[in-house]
Amino acid sequence: MLVFVVNKHGRPLMPCRPSKARKLLKQGKAKIVKYEPFTIQLLYGSSGYKQCCTAGIDAGNKNIGIAVTTDDGRIIYKAQVILRQDIKENIETKRRLRRSRRNRKTRYRKPRFLNRKRKNGWLPPSITARIDAHYNIIKKLSKIIPITNIIVEVGQFDTQALINPNIQGKEYQNGDMKGFDSVKEYVKIRDNYQCHYAKLRPDIPCSGKMTVDHIIPKSKGGTDNPTNLVCCCEEHNRQKDNLLYKEFTGKNPPAIRNFKATAFMNVLRDYLVPKLQEIAPTEYTFGLYTRRKRKEWNLEKSHINDAIAIVGIKPRQEVSVSYYIKQVRKKKRSLHEEIPRKGRSKPNRDAKRNEKNIKKIITNNNCWCLWDKVYIPSIDKIGYISGFTGKWVYVQDIEGNYLRISEKYKQINPKELQLICRNNNYISQQFISTL
Ligand SMILES: [Zn+2]
């Protein structure tokens, strides 16, 4: 457990032990500035020693893994972030509603048809949102932890380097996966570690470790290009020897396409890495190299452990806190109900904002906002306010399951709640784990 510390001027210092934080708070030498993650601000000038803190980011479409490690292998922060997946759908809904509104007799809207030019470097909103999320999370983190450098994993392989060896990433040039080894690994993963000849030559049973086979044998002029390689077992590889594909299988060789580097991963490298440079010097790496490290350290596969391996500093075994963070939608600005709400006694003619879309309610001078983290004493559970119904609220846990007190109603009276903290677009929960 660590408490994050910022100095008098709001600049990040190294985190401290809770006991020290408690002492500082008691003596009035510090104040609490944030509950999630718990951060205090010193009220006196402190030079504060700083270590090198490297942030590793396992970038992704749905999940981000983050780990911050000091030079001596202390993990000071680790988190898994779940990103929103509803951007595309929302944009499409918006578009559909606008289209239908234009054909209806509604309030006047200036004609807009000559403003449809896409700017240079335009990206689909769903991707922009993801890149922004990566950036914003690290930016926020850099305000409580003195991050000195960042390493991002931008995909499994340096596909560009494999196909065109003139373009080379840092690891590709310096790492031990140089040359053919790296191509082999690439082909095995591309083919899912399945023997290519297992079905084509069932008379020969598969045996031995997986290796790669040249479709056109090297002795007959075949190259080491991934398009000329398939994954196969040692036995099939031995039997094929330097026969041609047709001689061995009786079929024409398949057209093997290159591993499709997910478009998003390429975009990450081109857009996210330069953006992160604003925060701290940023490098990128590939899953191929980090996977090895993770296995070497006996860490199981998870987004957080991937991030730890991305940093590349062997972590110390100690009990620590991981954060499970979920990106949520704070604003719903729809001006009208697309589907009239069930149970409305009168049609919604006065275009009053949908009650479901309000951001907060006030009861007995208590304000309850969307995504407030709350504690429900009667069932001893922690949840997040996910919606409102008049004067009551809906509460969900971080997985999105409704927490309820009564069998009959999903909604909960705010009297039953205790506020823990307010949240913006990210809700988070802590887990204690041993690494
Ligand atoms: Zn085989």
Side-chain angles (χ1 to χ4, degrees), residues 85 131 161 171 188 243 246 260 296 298 319 369 407:
Q85 300 296 318
I131 289 176
E171 293 280 350
K188 281 191 234 168
L243 292 174
K246 193 150 190 190
K260 212 173 119 205
E296 200 182 301
N298 280 325
V319 177
C369 304
E407 291 265 305

Side-chain angles (χ1 to χ4, degrees), residues 171-221:
E171 293 280 350
Y172 194 78
Q173 282 173 332
N174 310 328
D176 46 0
M177 293 288 280
K178 213 166 169 180
F180 192 53
D181 266 357
S182 162
V183 179
K184 265 182 166 172
E185 197 76 3
Y186 163 87
V187 170
K188 281 191 234 168
I189 294 175
R190 180 195 65 193
D191 296 353
N192 275 330
Y193 289 88
Q194 300 291 318
C195 176
H196 181 82
Y197 299 113
K199 276 188 189 157
L200 293 160
R201 287 295 300 266
D203 52 317
I204 306 166
C206 285
S207 78
K209 279 198 291 187
M210 284 298 161
T211 176
V212 295
D213 176 64
H214 291 80
I215 293 175
I216 304 168
K218 270 191 116 172
S219 60
K220 293 181 180 156

Side-chain angles (χ1 to χ4, degrees), residues 6-25:
V6 296
N7 73 8
K8 211 166 70 172
H9 311 288
R11 300 239 180 280
L13 299 172
M14 293 304 288
C16 71
R17 302 228 151 259
S19 54
K20 196 189 169 191
R22 218 171 290 133
K23 211 165 125 193
L24 288 169
L25 287 168

Side-chain angles (χ1 to χ4, degrees), residues 148-159:
T148 44
N149 46 60
I150 302 172
I151 304 170
V152 199
E153 182 189 301
V154 288
Q156 279 289 311
F157 302 99
D158 196 351
T159 18

Side-chain angles (χ1 to χ4, degrees), residues 38-71:
F38 197 78
T39 310
I40 58 168
Q41 181 171 28
L42 300 181
L43 298 172
Y44 62 96
S46 159
S47 53
Y49 89 109
K50 274 185 208 170
Q51 281 173 282
C52 276
C53 299
T54 310
I57 306 166
D58 176 22
N61 257 327
K62 284 185 184 154
N63 291 283
I64 314 177
I66 302 169
V68 183
T69 315
T70 59
D71 275 351

